[in-house]
Amino acid sequence: MEKKDIDWGNLTFAYQKADYRFVSNYKNGKWDDGAIVEDSNIVLNECACIFQYCQACFEGLKAYTTEDGSIVCFRPDLNAKRMADSCRKLQMPVFPEDRFVEAVKQVVKANEAWVPPYGSGATLYIRPFMIGTNSVIGVKPADEYQFRILVTPVGPYFKGGVKPLTIRVSDVDRAAPRGTGNIKAGLNYAMSLHNIIDAHEKGFDENMYLDPATRTKVEETGGANFLFVTKDGSVVTPKSDSILPSITRRSLVQVAKEYLGLKAEEREILLSEVKDFAECGLCGTAAVISPVGKVNDHGKEICFPSGMTSMGPVIKKLYDTLTGIQMGRIKGPEGWVVKIK
Ligand code: PLP
Ligand code: COI
């Protein structure tokens, strides 16, 4: 199979249309068999629930070419489970978790020519999503849905690759206590769009959202969880019911303990203690682990000792181990790396 003629090493995190996508529709109370299709467009009635009341959720995972030339993906069962949680909370029908994993494999296989080669620095981003498709005008859930998986080859999420980021403390809240912060609902991202443009215009890479109830605790950014390293080398990550349970973060906590012999703990983290940490990073499927060099709290700068030129030593070890597992250079825990081809 011949790969697409793409300058893999210079890809950014942007959509380009691959050849195939997976589509399944829900009607009369059941999902159809689903199929791999070529059409990248969706034609819907103007009053479809997705357009009026934003009934949508999504997932994100990646396929990698490993050192031995296999194509694999990382913990797709956890994406299937998280999407099921999102669906339940948004009154959408769950796409069965085993079928989700099978569909991911099917769509990646169909798009093998788009899977970036080993060592190119690029990966195939996989975006499963679900939308309410029939028309509703009163506020109520749709009766018909589409589950679709698109794929697109991507490079680093943040421009500059591993250059440390500058984050500002946000004045806007992302998710209410007991709200939708812990699911991957499109509406959580809609609210972040104005704030991310505003951050960029003011020279910041991302927003640090605080807990809305007290505005004293660190939650997450618009698209990734935080990870901190203490001065004595322990890993700590924020615990909150209103952040997305990142699969990358949960994996890194396990990697820290089992592969690197570090202490790692999920706990509430006060904004006031951020100045005491040695290293900070953003973690997620798209972000992998992107180092943070500086947090700006309303003009007051918190500069991590790891600096603004490279990753701190612990974050670097976590990055190397996690990507080593994903790319097949290091053996991962049972079930983490799922072979597609
Ligand atoms: N937090 C938010 C708001 C996200 O959008 C993402 C991306 O999926 C993450 C965290 C990281 O989650 P994961 O590691 O499962 O990709
Ligand atoms: C991911 O990391 O998969 C995300 O969904 C983050 C962002 C692209 C929304």
Side-chain angles (χ1 to χ4, degrees):
M1 182 270 336
E2 203 170 314
K3 292 281 177 192
K4 295 287 167 183
D5 181 19
I6 290 174
D7 183 6
W8 305 103
N10 285 312
L11 284 174
T12 59
F13 199 87
Y15 171 80
Q16 51 177 310
K17 184 162 88 75
D19 293 334
Y20 302 103
R21 55 278 307 132
F22 175 86
V23 177
S24 177
N25 291 301
Y26 181 91
K27 200 172 176 172
N28 301 323
K30 57 179 198 302
W31 289 105
D32 67 16
D33 289 343
I36 295 289
V37 302
E38 286 185 36
D39 193 353
S40 58
N41 296 309
I42 305 176
V43 177
L44 292 177
N45 180 268
E46 62 195 357
C47 214
C49 199
I50 170 62
F51 300 138
Q52 302 308 325
Y53 303 121
C54 194
Q55 201 185 15
C57 61
F58 70 96
E59 272 304 321
L61 67 162
K62 283 172 172 173
Y64 312 84
T65 304
T66 60
E67 201 167 19
D68 70 0
S70 306
I71 297 174
V72 302
C73 62
F74 187 70
R75 309 188 79 179
D77 52 317
L78 297 190
N79 294 96
K81 182 166 180 308
R82 191 170 63 188
M83 187 152 192
D85 290 340
S86 299
C87 287
R88 282 188 279 265
K89 207 152 174 184
L90 296 170
Q91 198 57 39
M92 301 170 89
V94 169
F95 191 75
E97 292 177 36
D98 53 340
R99 287 193 61 196
F100 176 107
V101 173
E102 277 316 303
V104 164
K105 291 182 181 168
Q106 224 183 318
V107 73
V108 173
K109 255 188 222 160
N111 289 292
E112 189 184 347
W114 295 87
V115 183
Y118 176 75
S120 63
T123 51
L124 188 75
Y125 187 68
I126 306 166
R127 170 57 62 88
F129 62 103
M130 193 188 293
I131 55 175
T133 50
N134 66 298
S135 53
V136 294
I137 194 76
V139 178
K140 61 171 194 165
D143 310 299
E144 295 175 12
Y145 294 85
Q146 182 166 111
F147 171 70
R148 179 178 276 253
I149 311 179
L150 65 85
V151 300
T152 186
V154 295
Y157 189 63
F158 292 104
K159 287 200 297 282
V162 294
K163 195 180 144 291
L165 305 169
T166 302
I167 309 283
R168 74 161 176 193
V169 175
S170 171
D171 284 328
V172 173
D173 295 328
R174 172 180 174 271
R178 297 174 293 280
T180 56
N182 59 352
I183 59 166
K184 221 162 155 58
L187 59 92
N188 293 339
Y189 299 82
M191 69 58 56
S192 75
L193 299 176
H194 171 71
N195 205 31
I196 190 69
I197 295 299
D198 187 59
H200 288 165
E201 281 172 2
K202 297 185 168 122
F204 303 107
D205 297 299
E206 254 292 359
N207 289 297
M208 172 186 274
Y209 289 101
L210 302 179
D211 76 296
T214 71
R215 300 196 53 79
T216 57
K217 289 174 255 175
V218 177
E219 295 249 290
E220 61 174 329
T221 66
N225 280 183
F226 278 105
L227 181 146
F228 297 97
V229 180
T230 62
K231 290 203 171 122
D232 62 2
S234 302
V235 171
V236 280
T237 61
K239 186 180 176 72
S240 159
D241 290 338
S242 46
I243 64 175
L244 193 77
S246 159
I247 295 164
T248 314
R249 185 249 305 161
R250 285 180 277 161
S251 304
L252 286 168
V253 164
Q254 200 174 329
V255 163
K257 289 183 191 164
E258 294 176 9
Y259 285 69
L260 304 178
L262 302 174
K263 276 204 221 122
E265 179 186 22
E266 196 190 338
R267 63 161 171 87
E268 287 189 343
I269 295 176
L270 295 172
L271 176 61
S272 59
E273 58 178 316
V274 169
K275 63 175 182 351
D276 301 324
F277 292 125
E279 298 176 47
C280 172
L282 299 185
C283 56
T285 298
V288 195
I289 318 180
S290 304
V292 174
K294 235 193 273 186
V295 173
N296 187 306
D297 180 8
H298 302 90
K300 202 172 70 209
E301 284 198 338
I302 302 170
C303 300
F304 297 103
S306 51
M308 289 304 290
T309 50
S310 56
M311 279 191 181
V314 174
I315 289 197
K316 172 91 170 70
K317 268 193 230 163
L318 286 166
Y319 178 92
D320 287 345
T321 312
L322 181 72
T323 53
I325 291 170
Q326 289 166 337
M327 305 283 176
R329 295 186 294 266
I330 299 173
K331 186 165 165 34
E334 193 60 34
W336 278 24
V337 172
V338 172
K339 186 158 173 159
I340 294 175
K341 205 172 163 66

